[in-house]
Amino acid sequence: MKAVIQSSFEGITALKLRDILEPHMSAMSVLIKNRYTPVIPWDWLSEEGQLQNFNPVKLPRIIGYSFGGIVEKVGALRNQKLLGKKVFGFNPQGTHTQLINSQIPPLLIEVPTKVSLEDATTIIGGADAALLAVKQSKIRPNDIVLVTGATGGVGSYLIQLLKLMKTTVIAFTRKENYSFAQNLGADYIIDFTQDIKHQLQLVPKPNKIIDTAGSVPLLDTISHNYEKLTIFSLSLPKYKPINSIQTFSFSNKSIGIKGYQQLLSMLENKQISASINQILPFQEVIQAQQIAKFRPSQGRILLEY
């Protein structure tokens, strides 16, 4: 079977498609025919070696940590009712491969009939991060929340969750994404490539920032315009606020099984919707990562197997 292999820390273009042995079934195995993997910043940051202090990996390795697929075989000690079901989850041994051997039960979640596998695959590294941000930021209905990276795989879910909380949302994105951000529910939109200070004068004063972009210069530019701010980041472990009455926090905690079930229910009931930019064959992984990293994004890119 085929797998996408990282053999160095030389970045996206060093990825290789290799033939590897099919996984060996055990009593604890659930063998999944992979259908989709999301393309997320975690991928290329790992490939550039930027996460080694935070999440060290040994090379060579199969890239990726989340997937969506169909269960083909089930080991004797696993739930036999999973056979033939749609599932999504994590796999510590990598996910950019045609077959996945899931041996840790909590990391596999069944997808409801009314939720497409494509949509479910956008949850990990997308909707889960957005839900975490809402909880960690202690969002309230009267909050005015500024969101950086507002139309990406996380931001597109975040806007929807914030509007369900009846907050006012100021979305930072590019001009070409304005209509997309409006359709998600953003109340005000700022083009971060233009004069930010002037644009901030035309919108309500935010009391909270949720950062998904991970840009220190951008956060500096924004926070220079305000005295008091609560800043939460999903992308920057460390950031020094402009003054002492601005606060900063970072988290990448898990939302737990209940959190994932909540998001699946919200997708099933159409309270939120997945935003999929495009779906590319997994053989085009280098192109897909380059698009996600360097071009304006409207939702998540998926690879198909």
Side-chain angles (χ1 to χ4, degrees):
M1 67 178 184
K2 300 288 186 182
V4 180
I5 303 295
Q6 175 190 351
S7 299
S8 71
F9 294 110
E10 297 176 5
I12 296 172
T13 57
L15 294 174
K16 301 293 183 183
L17 195 64
R18 303 290 191 198
D19 287 307
I20 64 170
L21 296 175
E22 291 192 5
H24 174 71
M25 285 285 294
S26 72
M28 288 299 295
S29 291
V30 174
L31 190 66
I32 300 135
K33 184 177 182 180
N34 203 5
R35 290 289 306 277
Y36 304 102
T37 53
V39 177
I40 57 177
W42 182 277
D43 296 330
W44 60 79
L45 291 173
S46 295
E47 292 149 20
E48 294 166 357
Q50 295 190 42
L51 301 180
Q52 279 301 94
N53 292 332
F54 173 69
N55 182 61
V57 297
K58 294 182 179 180
L59 302 181
R61 71 181 188 103
I62 300 170
I63 70 167
Y65 75 98
S66 64
F67 67 92
I70 308 294
V71 175
E72 284 201 333
K73 296 180 182 179
V74 182
L77 297 180
R78 297 294 294 273
N79 183 357
Q80 299 299 308
K81 293 181 180 179
L82 285 172
L83 191 63
K85 295 297 179 66
K86 299 183 296 183
V87 294
F88 75 101
F90 306 88
N91 191 46
Q93 285 72 48
T95 58
H96 285 48
T97 181
Q98 291 174 301
L99 291 173
I100 292 174
N101 185 8
S102 175
Q103 300 188 73
I104 308 177
L107 303 188
L108 196 64
I109 303 167
E110 186 176 340
V111 180
T113 303
K114 294 181 180 180
V115 177
S116 73
L117 191 53
E118 298 97 313
D119 288 356
T121 305
T122 69
I123 290 177
I124 296 177
D128 58 353
L131 183 60
L132 174 67
V134 168
K135 290 182 176 180
Q136 294 289 309
S137 299
K138 298 179 180 178
I139 296 299
R140 299 291 181 267
N142 61 342
D143 284 333
I144 300 174
V145 187
L146 188 154
V147 178
T148 69
T151 55
V154 177
S156 56
Y157 272 119
L158 183 54
I159 292 175
Q160 297 178 74
L161 292 176
L162 288 170
K163 293 310 299 177
L164 286 174
M165 298 286 291
K166 301 188 184 302
T167 65
T168 298
V169 177
I170 303 170
F172 263 55
T173 187
R174 295 176 184 267
K175 187 176 181 179
E176 52 263 50
N177 294 333
Y178 274 27
S179 294
F180 181 69
Q182 287 176 330
N183 290 335
L184 290 170
D187 299 285
Y188 302 92
I189 305 170
I190 289 177
D191 182 353
F192 69 85
T193 68
Q194 301 301 317
D195 185 347
I196 291 175
K197 183 176 182 180
H198 173 69
Q199 294 177 84
L200 287 174
Q201 294 172 353
L202 304 177
V203 302
K205 180 181 177 180
N207 65 311
K208 293 180 179 178
I209 295 176
I210 298 180
D211 168 51
T212 77
S215 169
V216 171
L218 180 59
L219 285 181
D220 283 346
T221 300
I222 296 167
S223 55
H224 265 299
N225 291 274
Y226 306 104
E227 290 188 5
K228 189 175 182 180
L229 271 177
T230 300
I231 305 169
F232 174 82
S233 182
L234 291 161
S235 303
L236 289 174
K238 296 180 180 180
Y239 174 72
K240 185 177 181 180
I242 297 300
N243 62 56
S244 60
I245 59 174
Q246 294 178 354
T247 63
F248 171 79
S249 61
F250 162 83
S251 180
N252 64 344
K253 296 179 181 178
S254 170
I255 60 170
I257 295 298
K258 288 185 178 179
Y260 287 108
Q261 296 294 352
Q262 177 185 349
L263 291 169
L264 282 169
S265 177
M266 294 174 81
L267 281 172
E268 187 174 24
N269 296 326
K270 303 190 183 304
Q271 293 173 282
I272 58 175
S273 61
S275 300
I276 298 175
N277 185 301
Q278 57 183 308
I279 300 175
L280 297 172
F282 77 96
Q283 295 90 339
E284 297 179 18
V285 58
I286 291 176
Q287 177 187 348
Q289 287 195 17
Q290 288 174 331
I291 292 171
K293 182 178 181 180
F294 297 113
R295 299 183 193 175
S297 177
Q298 294 185 3
R300 180 67 72 211
I301 294 175
L302 300 180
L303 293 175
E304 186 173 18
Y305 295 76

